[in-house]
Amino acid sequence: MAAKQHKKEPLNHVLYRVVMIAIGASLAAFAIERLLVPNKMIDGGIIGVSLILDYLIPDEWRLLNFATLVILLNAPFMYFGYKHIGKTFMLSTILGVVILGAAERAFHHFSPLTAEPILATVFGGLALGLGVGLVIRHGGSLDGTEILGILLTKKIPFSVGEFVMFVNVFIFGWAAFVLGVEAAMYSVMTYYIASKTIDAVIEGLDETRAAFIVTDYYAEISDAILHRLGRGTTKLIGKGGYTDEEKEIIYAVVTRLEVTKLKSIVNEIDPDAFITIMPTHEVRGARFKSAIH
């Protein structure tokens, strides 16, 4: 039997992804060169290591600048990313890292935006996080430590996040010796702000919640959610672990602001209903945006 042929991604989608990766990498370079470096601050991961080495390397070795270092240090991880994650990811990562290096050289000749550490920390972290988040959201990466984390966590009892945090403890500790304790502390703040911004960009700004409702009044509650909230529901069938009785379960996705109204509707119809509400990372579907309020 012939192998199934996968449809190629439309050209306009590819071009859109390339443009967004270019914007994200350029924004990250802007944050690094115009806000972080002039104030002796760094990010975590390969970018942080590259910035520390760039600070340590003597002027006569200027060929090994940040742009060169970030490409060279990321190269092995891009290779492993290609072998284990995929060709599209590798190409997107190469594009992002090369643009990051090139844009950093271009911004190198401009004067710093601010010499105030707090302003550099906050706005540098926001700009860096937005840039890195855009690259990740569109299929690439600017930091090889996450790729290494993905590969190693298959063999070690740690999550990717725990591995990256462990690596960054050493990087920021190294920064304390090279740049000073105060600069390292500002760098930790920058990294925290950037990581939260990355999460917001990747997961989206719309905060949604998934609700599971176990009730004997499935039809009434489902109808009320549809007509009073404007949200569709899905009927699931489960069994009670103790009674072994068949139960109808309502699954619905609402925004954060609709949670209180959802609980009010359920409590009004069935005060004994069992409700579980969980955060969701992303909701797709053209009809989700339209709701009754």
Side-chain angles (χ1 to χ4, degrees):
M1 183 181 291
K4 184 179 179 180
Q5 295 294 317
H6 294 282
K7 292 173 67 176
K8 287 188 176 181
E9 187 177 7
L11 180 61
N12 60 326
H13 289 191
V14 175
L15 292 175
Y16 174 75
R17 190 170 70 247
V18 167
V19 170
M20 297 308 294
I21 289 173
I23 291 173
S26 299
L27 189 56
F30 174 85
I32 291 166
E33 198 58 46
R34 300 291 305 281
L35 290 164
L36 302 186
V37 170
N39 292 281
K40 291 187 176 181
M41 297 175 193
I42 65 166
D43 184 30
I46 296 299
I47 292 176
V49 172
S50 301
L51 288 171
I52 295 174
L53 291 175
D54 185 51
Y55 184 80
L56 290 173
I57 291 172
D59 290 339
E60 56 267 26
W61 292 10
R62 278 296 89 190
L63 282 177
L64 287 174
N65 51 42
F66 170 79
T68 310
L69 287 166
V70 78
I71 293 172
L72 289 177
L73 293 178
N74 268 306
F77 301 110
M78 289 188 284
Y79 171 76
F80 287 115
Y82 167 68
K83 296 286 287 184
H84 297 277
I85 302 177
K87 180 180 177 182
T88 301
F89 172 80
M90 182 203 67
L91 293 175
S92 299
T93 298
I94 290 174
L95 174 67
V97 171
V98 169
I99 291 176
L100 174 69
E104 186 274 339
R105 286 291 88 195
F107 288 126
H108 184 71
H109 305 290
F110 291 89
S111 58
L113 279 185
T114 180
E116 173 56 52
I118 292 296
L119 290 176
T121 297
V122 174
F123 288 96
L126 288 172
L128 182 64
L130 178 57
V132 173
L134 283 173
V135 174
I136 295 174
R137 188 178 176 100
H138 293 89
S141 175
L142 296 179
D143 194 337
T145 52
E146 290 198 355
I147 301 173
L148 183 62
I150 291 170
L151 301 179
L152 288 183
T153 48
K154 297 175 181 177
K155 300 180 180 179
I156 58 177
F158 299 105
S159 68
V160 175
E162 289 170 338
F163 174 80
V164 172
M165 183 179 67
F166 181 76
V167 170
N168 283 329
V169 166
F170 287 96
I171 293 173
F172 289 122
W174 184 22
F177 284 101
V178 176
L179 304 174
V181 174
E182 193 172 281
M185 292 169 70
Y186 278 122
S187 296
V188 171
M189 289 173 60
T190 301
Y191 174 76
Y192 179 79
I193 294 169
S195 65
K196 292 301 178 183
T197 307
I198 290 169
D199 290 342
V201 173
I202 294 173
E203 297 172 6
L205 296 175
D206 292 332
E207 295 187 49
T208 54
R209 300 289 186 268
F212 290 90
I213 306 163
V214 182
T215 177
D216 293 325
Y217 298 87
Y218 167 83
E220 293 91 333
I221 292 177
S222 183
D223 185 71
I225 292 172
L226 177 63
H227 290 97
R228 291 167 61 181
L229 269 183
R231 299 300 185 195
T233 62
T234 300
K235 180 178 180 179
L236 307 175
I237 302 298
K239 277 192 175 183
Y242 180 71
T243 63
D244 203 38
E245 289 181 6
E246 195 170 271
K247 292 282 186 179
E248 293 177 327
I249 303 167
I250 298 170
Y251 171 72
V253 177
V254 297
T255 68
R256 177 174 56 87
L257 298 177
E258 295 167 339
V259 169
T260 300
K261 190 171 181 179
L262 173 69
K263 291 192 288 187
S264 175
I265 290 170
V266 174
N267 187 62
E268 178 186 318
I269 298 172
D270 182 10
D272 296 322
F274 182 82
I275 309 175
T276 302
I277 298 174
M278 300 175 290
T280 58
H281 291 302
E282 187 172 358
V283 176
R284 298 238 172 185
R287 298 188 62 182
F288 181 77
K289 295 294 181 183
S290 57
I292 300 169
H293 294 291

